mmCIF file of all heavy atoms in Angstrom:
data_model
loop_
_atom_site.group_PDB
_atom_site.id
_atom_site.type_symbol
_atom_site.label_atom_id
_atom_site.label_comp_id
_atom_site.label_asym_id
_atom_site.label_seq_id
_atom_site.Cartn_x
_atom_site.Cartn_y
_atom_site.Cartn_z
ATOM 1 N N LYS A 1 -6.028 -3.913 4.950
ATOM 2 C CA LYS A 1 -6.201 -3.538 6.345
ATOM 3 C C LYS A 1 -5.300 -4.410 7.215
ATOM 4 O O LYS A 1 -5.272 -5.633 7.063
ATOM 5 C CB LYS A 1 -7.659 -3.712 6.784
ATOM 6 C CG LYS A 1 -8.677 -2.960 5.926
ATOM 7 C CD LYS A 1 -8.486 -1.455 6.017
ATOM 8 C CE LYS A 1 -9.560 -0.736 5.197
ATOM 9 N NZ LYS A 1 -9.365 0.737 5.201
ATOM 10 N N ALA A 2 -4.584 -3.787 8.135
ATOM 11 C CA ALA A 2 -3.655 -4.514 8.992
ATOM 12 C C ALA A 2 -4.356 -5.549 9.850
ATOM 13 O O ALA A 2 -5.428 -5.293 10.405
ATOM 14 C CB ALA A 2 -2.898 -3.536 9.879
ATOM 15 N N LYS A 3 -3.745 -6.733 9.961
ATOM 16 C CA LYS A 3 -4.287 -7.797 10.802
ATOM 17 C C LYS A 3 -3.852 -7.659 12.258
ATOM 18 O O LYS A 3 -4.434 -8.278 13.146
ATOM 19 C CB LYS A 3 -3.833 -9.162 10.283
ATOM 20 C CG LYS A 3 -4.405 -9.547 8.928
ATOM 21 C CD LYS A 3 -3.904 -10.918 8.498
ATOM 22 C CE LYS A 3 -4.476 -11.342 7.167
ATOM 23 N NZ LYS A 3 -3.966 -12.672 6.735
ATOM 24 N N ALA A 4 -2.788 -6.885 12.510
ATOM 25 C CA ALA A 4 -2.257 -6.733 13.864
ATOM 26 C C ALA A 4 -1.661 -5.336 14.012
ATOM 27 O O ALA A 4 -1.443 -4.628 13.025
ATOM 28 C CB ALA A 4 -1.199 -7.804 14.149
ATOM 29 N N LYS A 5 -1.375 -4.945 15.247
ATOM 30 C CA LYS A 5 -0.859 -3.601 15.498
ATOM 31 C C LYS A 5 0.619 -3.461 15.162
ATOM 32 O O LYS A 5 1.108 -2.350 14.969
ATOM 33 C CB LYS A 5 -1.093 -3.227 16.971
ATOM 34 C CG LYS A 5 -2.557 -3.041 17.326
ATOM 35 C CD LYS A 5 -2.706 -2.608 18.773
ATOM 36 C CE LYS A 5 -4.174 -2.371 19.120
ATOM 37 N NZ LYS A 5 -4.352 -1.950 20.537
ATOM 38 N N ASN A 6 1.351 -4.569 15.124
ATOM 39 C CA ASN A 6 2.789 -4.484 14.912
ATOM 40 C C ASN A 6 3.210 -4.736 13.463
ATOM 41 O O ASN A 6 4.349 -5.102 13.201
ATOM 42 C CB ASN A 6 3.520 -5.455 15.836
ATOM 43 C CG ASN A 6 3.152 -6.911 15.587
ATOM 44 O OD1 ASN A 6 2.089 -7.207 15.045
ATOM 45 N ND2 ASN A 6 4.030 -7.819 15.996
ATOM 46 N N VAL A 7 2.294 -4.538 12.510
ATOM 47 C CA VAL A 7 2.672 -4.653 11.108
ATOM 48 C C VAL A 7 3.212 -3.311 10.626
ATOM 49 O O VAL A 7 3.155 -2.307 11.336
ATOM 50 C CB VAL A 7 1.492 -5.119 10.226
ATOM 51 C CG1 VAL A 7 0.968 -6.454 10.726
ATOM 52 C CG2 VAL A 7 0.372 -4.093 10.220
ATOM 53 N N SER A 8 3.717 -3.292 9.398
ATOM 54 C CA SER A 8 4.434 -2.120 8.895
ATOM 55 C C SER A 8 3.557 -0.878 8.804
ATOM 56 O O SER A 8 3.987 0.226 9.137
ATOM 57 C CB SER A 8 5.024 -2.427 7.512
ATOM 58 O OG SER A 8 5.779 -3.610 7.543
ATOM 59 N N TYR A 9 2.307 -1.047 8.336
ATOM 60 C CA TYR A 9 1.422 0.094 8.114
ATOM 61 C C TYR A 9 0.002 -0.245 8.565
ATOM 62 O O TYR A 9 -0.407 -1.400 8.545
ATOM 63 C CB TYR A 9 1.411 0.475 6.629
ATOM 64 C CG TYR A 9 2.789 0.774 6.094
ATOM 65 C CD1 TYR A 9 3.464 -0.150 5.294
ATOM 66 C CD2 TYR A 9 3.425 1.972 6.404
ATOM 67 C CE1 TYR A 9 4.743 0.118 4.824
ATOM 68 C CE2 TYR A 9 4.702 2.241 5.935
ATOM 69 C CZ TYR A 9 5.358 1.309 5.151
ATOM 70 O OH TYR A 9 6.623 1.569 4.696
ATOM 71 N N ASN A 10 -0.764 0.792 8.947
ATOM 72 C CA ASN A 10 -2.154 0.573 9.338
ATOM 73 C C ASN A 10 -2.998 0.109 8.155
ATOM 74 O O ASN A 10 -3.889 -0.715 8.287
ATOM 75 C CB ASN A 10 -2.742 1.864 9.913
ATOM 76 C CG ASN A 10 -2.113 2.230 11.238
ATOM 77 O OD1 ASN A 10 -2.239 1.498 12.208
ATOM 78 N ND2 ASN A 10 -1.410 3.354 11.277
ATOM 79 N N GLY A 11 -2.715 0.662 6.997
ATOM 80 C CA GLY A 11 -3.441 0.297 5.795
ATOM 81 C C GLY A 11 -2.647 0.659 4.559
ATOM 82 O O GLY A 11 -1.722 1.478 4.610
ATOM 83 N N ILE A 12 -2.988 0.023 3.442
ATOM 84 C CA ILE A 12 -2.279 0.254 2.181
ATOM 85 C C ILE A 12 -3.292 0.238 1.042
ATOM 86 O O ILE A 12 -4.194 -0.609 1.015
ATOM 87 C CB ILE A 12 -1.217 -0.843 1.913
ATOM 88 C CG1 ILE A 12 -0.208 -0.920 3.065
ATOM 89 C CG2 ILE A 12 -0.484 -0.583 0.600
ATOM 90 C CD1 ILE A 12 0.742 -2.102 2.960
ATOM 91 N N ARG A 13 -3.157 1.171 0.120
ATOM 92 C CA ARG A 13 -3.828 1.052 -1.173
ATOM 93 C C ARG A 13 -2.788 0.491 -2.128
ATOM 94 O O ARG A 13 -1.678 1.004 -2.224
ATOM 95 C CB ARG A 13 -4.334 2.413 -1.666
ATOM 96 C CG ARG A 13 -5.416 3.021 -0.801
ATOM 97 C CD ARG A 13 -6.039 4.245 -1.472
ATOM 98 N NE ARG A 13 -6.872 4.967 -0.525
ATOM 99 C CZ ARG A 13 -6.494 6.057 0.129
ATOM 100 N NH1 ARG A 13 -5.287 6.570 -0.092
ATOM 101 N NH2 ARG A 13 -7.296 6.644 0.980
ATOM 102 N N TYR A 14 -3.172 -0.547 -2.851
ATOM 103 C CA TYR A 14 -2.171 -1.319 -3.602
ATOM 104 C C TYR A 14 -2.711 -1.623 -4.994
ATOM 105 O O TYR A 14 -3.842 -2.118 -5.130
ATOM 106 C CB TYR A 14 -1.900 -2.617 -2.837
ATOM 107 C CG TYR A 14 -0.636 -3.360 -3.174
ATOM 108 C CD1 TYR A 14 0.514 -2.717 -3.596
ATOM 109 C CD2 TYR A 14 -0.592 -4.753 -3.029
ATOM 110 C CE1 TYR A 14 1.669 -3.421 -3.867
ATOM 111 C CE2 TYR A 14 0.560 -5.473 -3.295
ATOM 112 C CZ TYR A 14 1.695 -4.794 -3.717
ATOM 113 O OH TYR A 14 2.837 -5.492 -3.988
ATOM 114 N N TRP A 15 -1.910 -1.327 -6.006
ATOM 115 C CA TRP A 15 -2.299 -1.577 -7.391
ATOM 116 C C TRP A 15 -1.475 -2.740 -7.933
ATOM 117 O O TRP A 15 -0.239 -2.680 -7.979
ATOM 118 C CB TRP A 15 -2.056 -0.340 -8.238
ATOM 119 C CG TRP A 15 -3.048 0.760 -8.012
ATOM 120 C CD1 TRP A 15 -4.133 1.071 -8.793
ATOM 121 C CD2 TRP A 15 -3.054 1.726 -6.935
ATOM 122 N NE1 TRP A 15 -4.808 2.158 -8.277
ATOM 123 C CE2 TRP A 15 -4.177 2.575 -7.137
ATOM 124 C CE3 TRP A 15 -2.239 1.952 -5.828
ATOM 125 C CZ2 TRP A 15 -4.475 3.639 -6.276
ATOM 126 C CZ3 TRP A 15 -2.540 2.995 -4.968
ATOM 127 C CH2 TRP A 15 -3.652 3.820 -5.198
ATOM 128 N N ILE A 16 -2.153 -3.820 -8.351
ATOM 129 C CA ILE A 16 -1.495 -5.037 -8.820
ATOM 130 C C ILE A 16 -1.879 -5.287 -10.273
ATOM 131 O O ILE A 16 -3.060 -5.294 -10.631
ATOM 132 C CB ILE A 16 -1.884 -6.253 -7.957
ATOM 133 C CG1 ILE A 16 -1.461 -6.021 -6.496
ATOM 134 C CG2 ILE A 16 -1.266 -7.536 -8.490
ATOM 135 C CD1 ILE A 16 -1.848 -7.143 -5.552
ATOM 136 N N SER A 17 -0.881 -5.509 -11.105
ATOM 137 C CA SER A 17 -1.097 -5.728 -12.533
ATOM 138 C C SER A 17 -1.989 -6.939 -12.773
ATOM 139 O O SER A 17 -1.812 -7.999 -12.162
ATOM 140 C CB SER A 17 0.253 -5.938 -13.232
ATOM 141 O OG SER A 17 0.082 -6.465 -14.522
ATOM 142 N N LYS A 18 -2.943 -6.786 -13.688
ATOM 143 C CA LYS A 18 -3.818 -7.902 -14.032
ATOM 144 C C LYS A 18 -3.069 -8.992 -14.791
ATOM 145 O O LYS A 18 -3.371 -10.177 -14.649
ATOM 146 C CB LYS A 18 -4.987 -7.409 -14.893
ATOM 147 C CG LYS A 18 -6.010 -6.580 -14.153
ATOM 148 C CD LYS A 18 -7.182 -6.259 -15.074
ATOM 149 C CE LYS A 18 -8.261 -5.475 -14.364
ATOM 150 N NZ LYS A 18 -9.424 -5.228 -15.249
ATOM 151 N N SER A 19 -2.105 -8.611 -15.601
ATOM 152 C CA SER A 19 -1.462 -9.573 -16.496
ATOM 153 C C SER A 19 -0.476 -10.491 -15.794
ATOM 154 O O SER A 19 -0.398 -11.680 -16.094
ATOM 155 C CB SER A 19 -0.753 -8.843 -17.642
ATOM 156 O OG SER A 19 0.263 -7.984 -17.129
ATOM 157 N N ASN A 20 0.293 -9.955 -14.834
ATOM 158 C CA ASN A 20 1.326 -10.789 -14.204
ATOM 159 C C ASN A 20 1.325 -10.729 -12.678
ATOM 160 O O ASN A 20 2.220 -11.262 -12.030
ATOM 161 C CB ASN A 20 2.716 -10.411 -14.727
ATOM 162 C CG ASN A 20 2.994 -8.919 -14.611
ATOM 163 O OD1 ASN A 20 2.349 -8.213 -13.836
ATOM 164 N ND2 ASN A 20 3.957 -8.432 -15.382
ATOM 165 N N HIS A 21 0.329 -10.057 -12.103
ATOM 166 C CA HIS A 21 0.148 -10.000 -10.643
ATOM 167 C C HIS A 21 1.347 -9.383 -9.920
ATOM 168 O O HIS A 21 1.670 -9.782 -8.796
ATOM 169 C CB HIS A 21 -0.159 -11.386 -10.076
ATOM 170 C CG HIS A 21 -1.470 -11.930 -10.507
ATOM 171 N ND1 HIS A 21 -1.990 -13.114 -10.022
ATOM 172 C CD2 HIS A 21 -2.399 -11.462 -11.391
ATOM 173 C CE1 HIS A 21 -3.160 -13.343 -10.592
ATOM 174 N NE2 HIS A 21 -3.432 -12.353 -11.426
ATOM 175 N N LEU A 22 1.983 -8.391 -10.530
ATOM 176 C CA LEU A 22 3.067 -7.659 -9.885
ATOM 177 C C LEU A 22 2.507 -6.380 -9.267
ATOM 178 O O LEU A 22 1.710 -5.673 -9.891
ATOM 179 C CB LEU A 22 4.170 -7.307 -10.885
ATOM 180 C CG LEU A 22 4.884 -8.488 -11.546
ATOM 181 C CD1 LEU A 22 5.910 -7.982 -12.555
ATOM 182 C CD2 LEU A 22 5.565 -9.369 -10.497
ATOM 183 N N GLY A 23 2.933 -6.072 -8.043
ATOM 184 C CA GLY A 23 2.519 -4.837 -7.400
ATOM 185 C C GLY A 23 3.262 -3.657 -8.007
ATOM 186 O O GLY A 23 4.490 -3.604 -7.960
ATOM 187 N N LEU A 24 2.539 -2.697 -8.580
ATOM 188 C CA LEU A 24 3.171 -1.591 -9.296
ATOM 189 C C LEU A 24 3.200 -0.288 -8.503
ATOM 190 O O LEU A 24 4.097 0.531 -8.694
ATOM 191 C CB LEU A 24 2.447 -1.342 -10.626
ATOM 192 C CG LEU A 24 2.416 -2.516 -11.618
ATOM 193 C CD1 LEU A 24 1.786 -2.058 -12.931
ATOM 194 C CD2 LEU A 24 3.813 -3.073 -11.853
ATOM 195 N N LYS A 25 2.245 -0.103 -7.619
ATOM 196 C CA LYS A 25 2.159 1.160 -6.885
ATOM 197 C C LYS A 25 1.480 0.926 -5.546
ATOM 198 O O LYS A 25 0.640 0.038 -5.413
ATOM 199 C CB LYS A 25 1.359 2.184 -7.706
ATOM 200 C CG LYS A 25 1.330 3.587 -7.119
ATOM 201 C CD LYS A 25 0.639 4.575 -8.052
ATOM 202 C CE LYS A 25 -0.856 4.498 -7.953
ATOM 203 N NZ LYS A 25 -1.545 5.632 -8.629
ATOM 204 N N ALA A 26 1.861 1.745 -4.551
ATOM 205 C CA ALA A 26 1.225 1.639 -3.235
ATOM 206 C C ALA A 26 1.117 3.016 -2.600
ATOM 207 O O ALA A 26 1.951 3.896 -2.843
ATOM 208 C CB ALA A 26 2.019 0.710 -2.324
ATOM 209 N N GLU A 27 0.087 3.183 -1.807
ATOM 210 C CA GLU A 27 -0.057 4.349 -0.935
ATOM 211 C C GLU A 27 -0.181 3.824 0.482
ATOM 212 O O GLU A 27 -1.036 2.971 0.769
ATOM 213 C CB GLU A 27 -1.294 5.171 -1.305
ATOM 214 C CG GLU A 27 -1.199 5.837 -2.662
ATOM 215 C CD GLU A 27 -2.462 6.596 -3.032
ATOM 216 O OE1 GLU A 27 -3.452 6.522 -2.264
ATOM 217 O OE2 GLU A 27 -2.463 7.256 -4.089
ATOM 218 N N PHE A 28 0.688 4.309 1.376
ATOM 219 C CA PHE A 28 0.710 3.837 2.750
ATOM 220 C C PHE A 28 -0.082 4.799 3.628
ATOM 221 O O PHE A 28 0.088 6.018 3.545
ATOM 222 C CB PHE A 28 2.148 3.697 3.234
ATOM 223 C CG PHE A 28 2.968 2.769 2.373
ATOM 224 C CD1 PHE A 28 3.940 3.261 1.522
ATOM 225 C CD2 PHE A 28 2.752 1.407 2.403
ATOM 226 C CE1 PHE A 28 4.689 2.417 0.712
ATOM 227 C CE2 PHE A 28 3.491 0.546 1.604
ATOM 228 C CZ PHE A 28 4.459 1.052 0.756
ATOM 229 N N LEU A 29 -0.943 4.230 4.472
ATOM 230 C CA LEU A 29 -1.928 5.020 5.191
ATOM 231 C C LEU A 29 -1.642 5.072 6.691
ATOM 232 O O LEU A 29 -1.176 4.100 7.285
ATOM 233 C CB LEU A 29 -3.327 4.439 4.974
ATOM 234 C CG LEU A 29 -3.721 4.150 3.516
ATOM 235 C CD1 LEU A 29 -5.120 3.547 3.452
ATOM 236 C CD2 LEU A 29 -3.631 5.417 2.661
ATOM 237 N N GLY A 30 -1.960 6.229 7.280
ATOM 238 C CA GLY A 30 -1.801 6.418 8.709
ATOM 239 C C GLY A 30 -3.035 5.952 9.467
ATOM 240 O O GLY A 30 -3.961 5.352 8.916
ATOM 241 N N VAL A 31 -3.059 6.253 10.760
ATOM 242 C CA VAL A 31 -4.134 5.798 11.647
ATOM 243 C C VAL A 31 -5.498 6.323 11.194
ATOM 244 O O VAL A 31 -6.511 5.628 11.267
ATOM 245 C CB VAL A 31 -3.846 6.246 13.099
ATOM 246 C CG1 VAL A 31 -4.994 5.851 14.015
ATOM 247 C CG2 VAL A 31 -2.549 5.633 13.606
ATOM 248 N N LYS A 32 -5.532 7.551 10.691
ATOM 249 C CA LYS A 32 -6.789 8.165 10.271
ATOM 250 C C LYS A 32 -7.117 7.916 8.799
ATOM 251 O O LYS A 32 -8.059 8.487 8.259
ATOM 252 C CB LYS A 32 -6.742 9.663 10.551
ATOM 253 C CG LYS A 32 -6.595 10.003 12.028
ATOM 254 C CD LYS A 32 -6.551 11.508 12.246
ATOM 255 C CE LYS A 32 -6.405 11.846 13.729
ATOM 256 N NZ LYS A 32 -6.345 13.316 13.961
ATOM 257 N N GLY A 33 -6.316 7.064 8.155
ATOM 258 C CA GLY A 33 -6.559 6.759 6.752
ATOM 259 C C GLY A 33 -5.910 7.722 5.782
ATOM 260 O O GLY A 33 -6.128 7.627 4.574
ATOM 261 N N GLU A 34 -5.091 8.633 6.310
ATOM 262 C CA GLU A 34 -4.419 9.597 5.437
ATOM 263 C C GLU A 34 -3.201 8.970 4.771
ATOM 264 O O GLU A 34 -2.533 8.104 5.335
ATOM 265 C CB GLU A 34 -3.994 10.826 6.250
ATOM 266 C CG GLU A 34 -2.777 10.656 7.155
ATOM 267 C CD GLU A 34 -3.036 9.909 8.457
ATOM 268 O OE1 GLU A 34 -4.160 9.379 8.638
ATOM 269 O OE2 GLU A 34 -2.112 9.848 9.293
ATOM 270 N N THR A 35 -2.912 9.389 3.537
ATOM 271 C CA THR A 35 -1.724 8.902 2.825
ATOM 272 C C THR A 35 -0.502 9.665 3.319
ATOM 273 O O THR A 35 -0.461 10.893 3.253
ATOM 274 C CB THR A 35 -1.867 9.107 1.311
ATOM 275 O OG1 THR A 35 -3.023 8.395 0.851
ATOM 276 C CG2 THR A 35 -0.641 8.601 0.572
ATOM 277 N N PHE A 36 0.498 8.947 3.829
ATOM 278 C CA PHE A 36 1.686 9.645 4.293
ATOM 279 C C PHE A 36 2.935 9.319 3.469
ATOM 280 O O PHE A 36 3.955 9.996 3.588
ATOM 281 C CB PHE A 36 1.940 9.414 5.787
ATOM 282 C CG PHE A 36 2.341 8.013 6.162
ATOM 283 C CD1 PHE A 36 3.671 7.666 6.281
ATOM 284 C CD2 PHE A 36 1.378 7.052 6.430
ATOM 285 C CE1 PHE A 36 4.046 6.386 6.639
ATOM 286 C CE2 PHE A 36 1.732 5.768 6.795
ATOM 287 C CZ PHE A 36 3.072 5.431 6.906
ATOM 288 N N LYS A 37 2.855 8.298 2.602
ATOM 289 C CA LYS A 37 3.924 8.122 1.626
ATOM 290 C C LYS A 37 3.451 7.257 0.463
ATOM 291 O O LYS A 37 2.468 6.512 0.566
ATOM 292 C CB LYS A 37 5.200 7.577 2.258
ATOM 293 C CG LYS A 37 5.139 6.189 2.856
ATOM 294 C CD LYS A 37 6.509 5.855 3.476
ATOM 295 C CE LYS A 37 6.546 4.457 4.053
ATOM 296 N NZ LYS A 37 7.857 4.134 4.642
ATOM 297 N N HIS A 38 4.145 7.403 -0.652
ATOM 298 C CA HIS A 38 3.829 6.695 -1.891
ATOM 299 C C HIS A 38 5.020 5.807 -2.265
ATOM 300 O O HIS A 38 6.163 6.111 -1.923
ATOM 301 C CB HIS A 38 3.593 7.669 -3.043
ATOM 302 C CG HIS A 38 2.609 8.753 -2.755
ATOM 303 N ND1 HIS A 38 1.262 8.624 -3.012
ATOM 304 C CD2 HIS A 38 2.770 9.993 -2.236
ATOM 305 C CE1 HIS A 38 0.639 9.736 -2.668
ATOM 306 N NE2 HIS A 38 1.523 10.590 -2.186
ATOM 307 N N ALA A 39 4.748 4.740 -3.010
ATOM 308 C CA ALA A 39 5.825 3.888 -3.506
ATOM 309 C C ALA A 39 5.509 3.392 -4.908
ATOM 310 O O ALA A 39 4.351 3.147 -5.245
ATOM 311 C CB ALA A 39 6.054 2.706 -2.565
ATOM 312 N N GLU A 40 6.549 3.263 -5.707
ATOM 313 C CA GLU A 40 6.445 2.666 -7.044
ATOM 314 C C GLU A 40 7.469 1.542 -7.137
ATOM 315 O O GLU A 40 8.575 1.656 -6.599
ATOM 316 C CB GLU A 40 6.694 3.711 -8.126
ATOM 317 C CG GLU A 40 5.659 4.828 -8.141
ATOM 318 C CD GLU A 40 5.975 5.896 -9.183
ATOM 319 O OE1 GLU A 40 7.044 5.797 -9.837
ATOM 320 O OE2 GLU A 40 5.177 6.833 -9.328
ATOM 321 N N PHE A 41 7.093 0.453 -7.839
ATOM 322 C CA PHE A 41 7.928 -0.747 -7.879
ATOM 323 C C PHE A 41 8.250 -1.139 -9.321
ATOM 324 O O PHE A 41 7.385 -1.069 -10.198
ATOM 325 C CB PHE A 41 7.210 -1.915 -7.195
ATOM 326 C CG PHE A 41 6.652 -1.578 -5.846
ATOM 327 C CD1 PHE A 41 5.318 -1.216 -5.699
ATOM 328 C CD2 PHE A 41 7.447 -1.612 -4.708
ATOM 329 C CE1 PHE A 41 4.786 -0.899 -4.458
ATOM 330 C CE2 PHE A 41 6.924 -1.304 -3.462
ATOM 331 C CZ PHE A 41 5.585 -0.935 -3.336
ATOM 332 N N LYS A 42 9.512 -1.547 -9.545
ATOM 333 C CA LYS A 42 9.946 -2.043 -10.849
ATOM 334 C C LYS A 42 10.469 -3.467 -10.691
ATOM 335 O O LYS A 42 10.963 -3.860 -9.628
ATOM 336 C CB LYS A 42 11.045 -1.151 -11.436
ATOM 337 C CG LYS A 42 10.637 0.314 -11.622
ATOM 338 C CD LYS A 42 9.542 0.463 -12.664
ATOM 339 C CE LYS A 42 9.190 1.924 -12.878
ATOM 340 N NZ LYS A 42 8.069 2.093 -13.846
#
């Protein structure tokens, strides 16, 4: 959940690997909590 209004996104769902704590996937959320884009990380 965003700490301030001027951050990148209102909210994010974020999947972090248990073994090495790397962020593998994210869903970026709008004002109403809707997903408006997805990201995958290598």
Side-chain angles (χ1 to χ4, degrees):
K1 305 296 183 183
K3 293 180 179 179
K5 292 183 178 180
N6 62 337
V7 302
S8 308
Y9 303 104
N10 292 297
I12 303 172
R13 295 190 191 100
Y14 198 31
W15 286 260
I16 300 178
S17 166
K18 289 185 178 183
S19 61
N20 52 20
H21 293 186
L22 298 178
L24 300 186
K25 187 174 80 168
E27 293 177 355
F28 303 107
L29 311 179
V31 177
K32 298 180 180 179
E34 75 283 7
T35 301
F36 68 95
K37 64 182 182 180
H38 308 270
E40 297 177 356
F41 311 97
K42 301 294 182 183

